[in-house]
Amino acid sequence: MGFLLFATAAGFMGWKAGQEDQTLQNLQEHGRKTEATVVAIVGRSEEDRANSLTVRFTTPSSTVQADIDVGDRSGNDAKPGGQVPIVYNPSDPTEVRHADRLDGSDADGIRLGSVVIGLLAAGFLVGTAREVMRVKEQTEAAKTLDTPHPGV
């Protein structure tokens, strides 16, 4: 059961990392860079630095509001009403990232988590296989003791 739980989590995280890679590649190739206005600071790190922002920006066809994650350096001076550089997908403007976050480091973190959880799944599989073999050996040993031997 542990194997299935961890293997499913590892697979899901790997899938999410693949999606993030595809999004970043699309933004690098086709994205439009612009300045966005910080609407709110949504999340802060333990050091009290902004690490997630709600931003608003204008595209040729509409005004978009979206949440973005920011790196340690890029979130230091983020304040509501301030400006941050973003890159958005012109065909889906809600697909947006901070301009400093297009290097794939987010996907690397997800991928690393997937590997760690995959190793936990493998550990559960090995442990389960060993336990099955131990029980099988005990069962066979018990059968041998219970079987009457001819001539005894």
Side-chain angles (χ1 to χ4, degrees), residues 26-44:
N26 185 39
L27 287 172
Q28 289 169 352
E29 292 174 6
H30 307 290
R32 299 240 171 90
K33 190 172 182 177
T34 190
E35 291 289 317
T37 302
V38 177
V39 175
I41 297 174
V42 181
R44 292 191 174 274

PDB file of all heavy atoms in Angstrom, residues 26-44:
ATOM      1  N   ASN A  26       7.428  27.348 -23.513  1.00  0.00           N
ATOM      2  CA  ASN A  26       6.487  28.128 -24.317  1.00  0.00           C
ATOM      3  C   ASN A  26       6.646  29.622 -24.035  1.00  0.00           C
ATOM      4  O   ASN A  26       6.649  30.438 -24.956  1.00  0.00           O
ATOM      5  CB  ASN A  26       5.054  27.674 -24.031  1.00  0.00           C
ATOM      6  CG  ASN A  26       4.051  28.355 -24.924  1.00  0.00           C
ATOM      7  OD1 ASN A  26       4.288  28.567 -26.109  1.00  0.00           O
ATOM      8  ND2 ASN A  26       2.920  28.726 -24.349  1.00  0.00           N
ATOM      9  N   LEU A  27       6.805  29.989 -22.758  1.00  0.00           N
ATOM     10  CA  LEU A  27       6.980  31.405 -22.419  1.00  0.00           C
ATOM     11  C   LEU A  27       8.309  31.939 -22.943  1.00  0.00           C
ATOM     12  O   LEU A  27       8.386  33.088 -23.386  1.00  0.00           O
ATOM     13  CB  LEU A  27       6.885  31.605 -20.906  1.00  0.00           C
ATOM     14  CG  LEU A  27       5.480  31.484 -20.314  1.00  0.00           C
ATOM     15  CD1 LEU A  27       5.552  31.514 -18.790  1.00  0.00           C
ATOM     16  CD2 LEU A  27       4.566  32.571 -20.843  1.00  0.00           C
ATOM     17  N   GLN A  28       9.358  31.131 -22.906  1.00  0.00           N
ATOM     18  CA  GLN A  28      10.652  31.573 -23.426  1.00  0.00           C
ATOM     19  C   GLN A  28      10.601  31.804 -24.931  1.00  0.00           C
ATOM     20  O   GLN A  28      11.191  32.738 -25.449  1.00  0.00           O
ATOM     21  CB  GLN A  28      11.740  30.547 -23.092  1.00  0.00           C
ATOM     22  CG  GLN A  28      12.095  30.529 -21.626  1.00  0.00           C
ATOM     23  CD  GLN A  28      12.964  29.335 -21.253  1.00  0.00           C
ATOM     24  OE1 GLN A  28      13.197  28.431 -22.050  1.00  0.00           O
ATOM     25  NE2 GLN A  28      13.436  29.329 -20.022  1.00  0.00           N
ATOM     26  N   GLU A  29       9.862  30.947 -25.639  1.00  0.00           N
ATOM     27  CA  GLU A  29       9.796  31.036 -27.097  1.00  0.00           C
ATOM     28  C   GLU A  29       8.779  32.066 -27.590  1.00  0.00           C
ATOM     29  O   GLU A  29       9.021  32.747 -28.578  1.00  0.00           O
ATOM     30  CB  GLU A  29       9.467  29.664 -27.687  1.00  0.00           C
ATOM     31  CG  GLU A  29      10.579  28.649 -27.510  1.00  0.00           C
ATOM     32  CD  GLU A  29      10.179  27.256 -27.970  1.00  0.00           C
ATOM     33  OE1 GLU A  29       9.072  27.094 -28.541  1.00  0.00           O
ATOM     34  OE2 GLU A  29      10.969  26.320 -27.744  1.00  0.00           O
ATOM     35  N   HIS A  30       7.620  32.146 -26.935  1.00  0.00           N
ATOM     36  CA  HIS A  30       6.516  32.957 -27.458  1.00  0.00           C
ATOM     37  C   HIS A  30       6.018  34.031 -26.502  1.00  0.00           C
ATOM     38  O   HIS A  30       5.125  34.801 -26.859  1.00  0.00           O
ATOM     39  CB  HIS A  30       5.329  32.057 -27.827  1.00  0.00           C
ATOM     40  CG  HIS A  30       5.691  30.934 -28.734  1.00  0.00           C
ATOM     41  ND1 HIS A  30       6.033  31.118 -30.049  1.00  0.00           N
ATOM     42  CD2 HIS A  30       5.790  29.599 -28.503  1.00  0.00           C
ATOM     43  CE1 HIS A  30       6.318  29.942 -30.596  1.00  0.00           C
ATOM     44  NE2 HIS A  30       6.181  29.008 -29.678  1.00  0.00           N
ATOM     45  N   GLY A  31       6.547  34.071 -25.296  1.00  0.00           N
ATOM     46  CA  GLY A  31       6.026  34.990 -24.287  1.00  0.00           C
ATOM     47  C   GLY A  31       6.311  36.447 -24.591  1.00  0.00           C
ATOM     48  O   GLY A  31       7.246  36.784 -25.314  1.00  0.00           O
ATOM     49  N   ARG A  32       5.480  37.290 -24.027  1.00  0.00           N
ATOM     50  CA  ARG A  32       5.646  38.738 -24.149  1.00  0.00           C
ATOM     51  C   ARG A  32       6.038  39.287 -22.785  1.00  0.00           C
ATOM     52  O   ARG A  32       5.399  38.984 -21.780  1.00  0.00           O
ATOM     53  CB  ARG A  32       4.349  39.391 -24.608  1.00  0.00           C
ATOM     54  CG  ARG A  32       3.894  38.914 -25.961  1.00  0.00           C
ATOM     55  CD  ARG A  32       3.816  40.062 -26.948  1.00  0.00           C
ATOM     56  NE  ARG A  32       3.595  39.572 -28.286  1.00  0.00           N
ATOM     57  CZ  ARG A  32       2.399  39.375 -28.828  1.00  0.00           C
ATOM     58  NH1 ARG A  32       1.323  39.656 -28.146  1.00  0.00           N
ATOM     59  NH2 ARG A  32       2.315  38.940 -30.070  1.00  0.00           N
ATOM     60  N   LYS A  33       7.054  40.102 -22.764  1.00  0.00           N
ATOM     61  CA  LYS A  33       7.517  40.704 -21.516  1.00  0.00           C
ATOM     62  C   LYS A  33       6.836  42.052 -21.329  1.00  0.00           C
ATOM     63  O   LYS A  33       6.674  42.817 -22.270  1.00  0.00           O
ATOM     64  CB  LYS A  33       9.037  40.864 -21.544  1.00  0.00           C
ATOM     65  CG  LYS A  33       9.617  41.248 -20.216  1.00  0.00           C
ATOM     66  CD  LYS A  33      11.145  41.201 -20.249  1.00  0.00           C
ATOM     67  CE  LYS A  33      11.685  41.541 -18.878  1.00  0.00           C
ATOM     68  NZ  LYS A  33      13.128  41.441 -18.805  1.00  0.00           N
ATOM     69  N   THR A  34       6.424  42.328 -20.098  1.00  0.00           N
ATOM     70  CA  THR A  34       5.809  43.602 -19.758  1.00  0.00           C
ATOM     71  C   THR A  34       5.998  43.859 -18.268  1.00  0.00           C
ATOM     72  O   THR A  34       6.505  43.012 -17.545  1.00  0.00           O
ATOM     73  CB  THR A  34       4.311  43.634 -20.144  1.00  0.00           C
ATOM     74  OG1 THR A  34       3.824  44.962 -20.016  1.00  0.00           O
ATOM     75  CG2 THR A  34       3.498  42.690 -19.295  1.00  0.00           C
ATOM     76  N   GLU A  35       5.572  45.009 -17.832  1.00  0.00           N
ATOM     77  CA  GLU A  35       5.596  45.345 -16.411  1.00  0.00           C
ATOM     78  C   GLU A  35       4.192  45.128 -15.851  1.00  0.00           C
ATOM     79  O   GLU A  35       3.201  45.481 -16.475  1.00  0.00           O
ATOM     80  CB  GLU A  35       6.020  46.803 -16.200  1.00  0.00           C
ATOM     81  CG  GLU A  35       7.461  47.092 -16.544  1.00  0.00           C
ATOM     82  CD  GLU A  35       8.440  46.473 -15.549  1.00  0.00           C
ATOM     83  OE1 GLU A  35       8.196  46.543 -14.334  1.00  0.00           O
ATOM     84  OE2 GLU A  35       9.457  45.921 -16.012  1.00  0.00           O
ATOM     85  N   ALA A  36       4.134  44.554 -14.664  1.00  0.00           N
ATOM     86  CA  ALA A  36       2.855  44.332 -13.998  1.00  0.00           C
ATOM     87  C   ALA A  36       2.843  45.114 -12.692  1.00  0.00           C
ATOM     88  O   ALA A  36       3.884  45.297 -12.055  1.00  0.00           O
ATOM     89  CB  ALA A  36       2.649  42.850 -13.724  1.00  0.00           C
ATOM     90  N   THR A  37       1.675  45.542 -12.304  1.00  0.00           N
ATOM     91  CA  THR A  37       1.508  46.255 -11.039  1.00  0.00           C
ATOM     92  C   THR A  37       1.177  45.248  -9.943  1.00  0.00           C
ATOM     93  O   THR A  37       0.300  44.400 -10.108  1.00  0.00           O
ATOM     94  CB  THR A  37       0.366  47.283 -11.141  1.00  0.00           C
ATOM     95  OG1 THR A  37       0.677  48.181 -12.212  1.00  0.00           O
ATOM     96  CG2 THR A  37       0.181  48.051  -9.859  1.00  0.00           C
ATOM     97  N   VAL A  38       1.885  45.344  -8.823  1.00  0.00           N
ATOM     98  CA  VAL A  38       1.611  44.462  -7.688  1.00  0.00           C
ATOM     99  C   VAL A  38       0.311  44.910  -7.033  1.00  0.00           C
ATOM    100  O   VAL A  38       0.170  46.071  -6.638  1.00  0.00           O
ATOM    101  CB  VAL A  38       2.769  44.503  -6.660  1.00  0.00           C
ATOM    102  CG1 VAL A  38       2.446  43.642  -5.443  1.00  0.00           C
ATOM    103  CG2 VAL A  38       4.079  44.070  -7.302  1.00  0.00           C
ATOM    104  N   VAL A  39      -0.643  43.991  -6.958  1.00  0.00           N
ATOM    105  CA  VAL A  39      -1.933  44.269  -6.332  1.00  0.00           C
ATOM    106  C   VAL A  39      -1.871  43.896  -4.848  1.00  0.00           C
ATOM    107  O   VAL A  39      -2.371  44.625  -3.997  1.00  0.00           O
ATOM    108  CB  VAL A  39      -3.065  43.488  -7.039  1.00  0.00           C
ATOM    109  CG1 VAL A  39      -4.387  43.675  -6.334  1.00  0.00           C
ATOM    110  CG2 VAL A  39      -3.157  43.890  -8.500  1.00  0.00           C
ATOM    111  N   ALA A  40      -1.255  42.756  -4.561  1.00  0.00           N
ATOM    112  CA  ALA A  40      -1.177  42.287  -3.176  1.00  0.00           C
ATOM    113  C   ALA A  40      -0.018  41.317  -3.023  1.00  0.00           C
ATOM    114  O   ALA A  40       0.393  40.666  -3.984  1.00  0.00           O
ATOM    115  CB  ALA A  40      -2.479  41.601  -2.777  1.00  0.00           C
ATOM    116  N   ILE A  41       0.483  41.233  -1.820  1.00  0.00           N
ATOM    117  CA  ILE A  41       1.462  40.204  -1.472  1.00  0.00           C
ATOM    118  C   ILE A  41       0.672  39.049  -0.885  1.00  0.00           C
ATOM    119  O   ILE A  41       0.011  39.195   0.149  1.00  0.00           O
ATOM    120  CB  ILE A  41       2.508  40.750  -0.478  1.00  0.00           C
ATOM    121  CG1 ILE A  41       3.290  41.886  -1.149  1.00  0.00           C
ATOM    122  CG2 ILE A  41       3.430  39.640  -0.010  1.00  0.00           C
ATOM    123  CD1 ILE A  41       4.248  42.606  -0.231  1.00  0.00           C
ATOM    124  N   VAL A  42       0.711  37.916  -1.559  1.00  0.00           N
ATOM    125  CA  VAL A  42      -0.110  36.768  -1.193  1.00  0.00           C
ATOM    126  C   VAL A  42       0.617  35.850  -0.216  1.00  0.00           C
ATOM    127  O   VAL A  42       0.001  35.228   0.644  1.00  0.00           O
ATOM    128  CB  VAL A  42      -0.522  35.984  -2.454  1.00  0.00           C
ATOM    129  CG1 VAL A  42      -1.400  34.813  -2.106  1.00  0.00           C
ATOM    130  CG2 VAL A  42      -1.226  36.894  -3.435  1.00  0.00           C
ATOM    131  N   GLY A  43       1.933  35.749  -0.334  1.00  0.00           N
ATOM    132  CA  GLY A  43       2.678  34.860   0.542  1.00  0.00           C
ATOM    133  C   GLY A  43       4.033  35.428   0.894  1.00  0.00           C
ATOM    134  O   GLY A  43       4.613  36.208   0.132  1.00  0.00           O
ATOM    135  N   ARG A  44       4.525  35.039   2.068  1.00  0.00           N
ATOM    136  CA  ARG A  44       5.835  35.493   2.526  1.00  0.00           C
ATOM    137  C   ARG A  44       6.657  34.296   2.981  1.00  0.00           C
ATOM    138  O   ARG A  44       6.121  33.311   3.469  1.00  0.00           O
ATOM    139  CB  ARG A  44       5.699  36.484   3.677  1.00  0.00           C
ATOM    140  CG  ARG A  44       5.094  37.808   3.256  1.00  0.00           C
ATOM    141  CD  ARG A  44       5.231  38.833   4.361  1.00  0.00           C
ATOM    142  NE  ARG A  44       4.781  40.141   3.928  1.00  0.00           N
ATOM    143  CZ  ARG A  44       5.536  41.018   3.291  1.00  0.00           C
ATOM    144  NH1 ARG A  44       6.773  40.731   2.991  1.00  0.00           N
ATOM    145  NH2 ARG A  44       5.051  42.193   2.931  1.00  0.00           N
TER     146      ARG A  44
END
